[in-house]
Amino acid sequence: MEYAMIRSSNSKCVATILLVIVLTITNCGEAKGREFRQSNTVFIRSSCSSTTYPKLCYTSLVKHAAFIQTNPVLLTGTALNITLSSAKSTSAAMSTMARSGGLSGRDAAAMQDCMEVLADSVEELTKSIGEMSHLRTSNFEGTMSDVQTWVSAALTDDTTCTDGFQQTPSSVAEDVKTAVRGRVVEVAQLTSNALALINQLANGHP
Ligand SMILES: *[C@@H]1O[C@H](CO)[C@@H](O)[C@H](O)[C@H]1NC(C)=O
């Protein structure tokens, strides 16, 4: 009788110990996961700190933290991909607005110019992404130099576009111009940030 009680309390004890071990392992696993997630976002934040628009840089990239981890090549590639998709959607929005926005004279001409430079920008970003996707140690410097050239050109294009709009003050379709300007400014800021990350990657490589 006594023996049975001891056995039963022993097995309870073993069960308790096992439970504690399982909980500890689970907890450590979760803590490890949190630690990884945290180091990923810390990496993004510190990489973004050297860009011109660190807040936009961080908010646009942090959604991809699990993919980027702490890899500077993935970080830069993701920044370029985000910039390209923003340039493409802005380009599409501009075509729609150009058709229906009721712009005329200088505004219509500025819109046309802007659409052309944005198309060039899309092309340069596409080339850069293509080249980045086969980045190798053997051609690292050449690739980075090409990408730096193309993304700088894309940034110049975006800036030309926003300048063109600012130089055509007119009350006509002011809201359309404001909307376009806002979107192009964002593309230009994303491009500027991507360029800063590219430069950082190019300089940081041993
Ligand atoms: C960027 O987009 C290209 C084309 O869709 C893709 O091949 C590449 O893996 C992407 N790069 C990153 C870092 O997500």
Side-chain angles (χ1 to χ4, degrees):
M1 180 66 187
E2 208 171 275
Y3 177 70
M5 265 176 69
I6 289 168
R7 268 189 57 133
S8 128
S9 79
N10 258 350
S11 65
K12 258 188 212 152
C13 185
V14 167
T16 308
I17 288 169
L18 281 178
L19 186 65
V20 167
I21 289 173
V22 167
L23 285 176
T24 308
I25 290 171
T26 313
N27 248 329
C28 288
E30 274 170 16
K32 204 88 204 135
R34 259 199 309 279
E35 216 171 89
F36 277 130
R37 277 195 296 280
Q38 198 177 13
S39 71
N40 295 348
T41 59
V42 166
F43 170 70
I44 293 172
R45 197 181 292 285
S46 75
S47 304
C48 283
S49 69
S50 68
T51 64
T52 320
Y53 309 97
K55 218 168 147 183
L56 175 66
C57 176
Y58 182 77
T59 54
S60 62
L61 288 167
V62 77
K63 296 166 217 159
H64 308 278
F67 170 71
I68 294 168
Q69 299 183 16
T70 56
N71 183 327
V73 175
L74 291 182
L75 177 83
T76 310
T78 305
L80 277 172
N81 283 1
I82 290 169
T83 309
L84 176 63
S85 91
S86 171
K88 277 185 175 168
S89 70
T90 300
S91 196
M94 282 178 70
S95 308
T96 308
M97 286 191 272
R99 269 184 264 115
S100 61
L103 296 177
S104 59
R106 287 182 66 174
D107 289 338
M111 184 72 136
Q112 202 54 48
D113 286 350
C114 208
M115 279 165 57
E116 275 166 30
V117 295
L118 212 56
D120 291 344
S121 178
V122 165
E123 204 176 294
E124 279 141 2
L125 290 166
T126 306
K127 265 197 301 195
S128 302
I129 289 164
E131 188 107 349
M132 280 287 289
S133 72
H134 40 84
L135 190 63
R136 302 267 180 281
T137 318
S138 57
N139 69 358
F140 184 85
E141 275 171 26
T143 300
M144 290 313 291
S145 161
D146 285 348
V147 172
Q148 282 169 316
T149 306
W150 296 330
V151 178
S152 304
L155 182 57
T156 309
D157 291 340
D158 300 339
T159 318
T160 309
C161 171
T162 49
D163 288 352
F165 270 102
Q166 272 152 4
Q167 281 158 9
T168 57
S170 155
S171 59
V172 182
E174 205 51 53
D175 54 341
V176 171
K177 288 197 289 171
T178 304
V180 169
R181 200 182 294 134
R183 294 197 62 149
V184 178
V185 164
E186 183 169 281
V187 175
Q189 293 183 347
L190 287 169
T191 309
S192 161
N193 284 346
L195 184 59
L197 296 175
I198 290 161
N199 291 338
Q200 203 167 293
L201 178 63
N203 297 335
H205 196 73

